[in-house]
Amino acid sequence: MITDDMMRERLARTKKYSLLILHPTEKLQAPGAYAVVWEHGRRNFQLRQDGVLNIVCPVGDGSDVCGIGIFDASLDEVRRLMEGDPGVQAGLFTYEVHETRGFPGDALR
């Protein structure tokens, strides 16, 4: 049973993260867009390797969301990183960033 004391103790251990929501633009269908998306993906791999982008999930359901990411970085740092993203620079993606929190060590199985 999860008691109130257990909840308080666990909630005190949460950590701030930044949640990125990536949106596609019409330019994503333009000739040459795939090469830019490939470089966007390469950059995501590097950010993961650097420990900044903890979770990255492409979304391919045709909605107005084409990806989400959880960063171990401040909102300002994520905005700075995203302004340097090849897909954002090429106008293929727009994004929004939200402060969130989670439990250190949480992971998908």
Side-chain angles (χ1 to χ4, degrees), residues 51-67:
V52 178
L53 179 54
N54 297 86
I55 296 174
V56 59
C57 298
V59 176
D61 63 2
S63 70
D64 71 334
V65 174
C66 60

Side-chain angles (χ1 to χ4, degrees), residues 15-21 43-44 47-48 51-56 68-75 77-79 81-82 97-98 100:
K15 182 179 181 320
K16 288 183 181 179
Y17 296 98
S18 295
L19 170 68
L20 171 86
I21 303 172
R43 189 163 185 271
N44 284 346
L47 292 170
R48 286 196 74 235
V52 178
L53 179 54
N54 297 86
I55 296 174
V56 59
I68 62 165
I70 299 179
F71 287 79
D72 189 1
S74 70
L75 294 175
E77 177 67 9
V78 173
R79 287 184 189 110
L81 288 168
M82 291 309 297
V97 184
H98 302 274
T100 189

Side-chain angles (χ1 to χ4, degrees), residues 33-46 85-87:
Y34 179 79
V36 176
V37 172
W38 185 258
E39 294 309 314
H40 159 82
R42 184 187 316 277
R43 189 163 185 271
N44 284 346
F45 274 99
Q46 185 65 54
D85 181 88

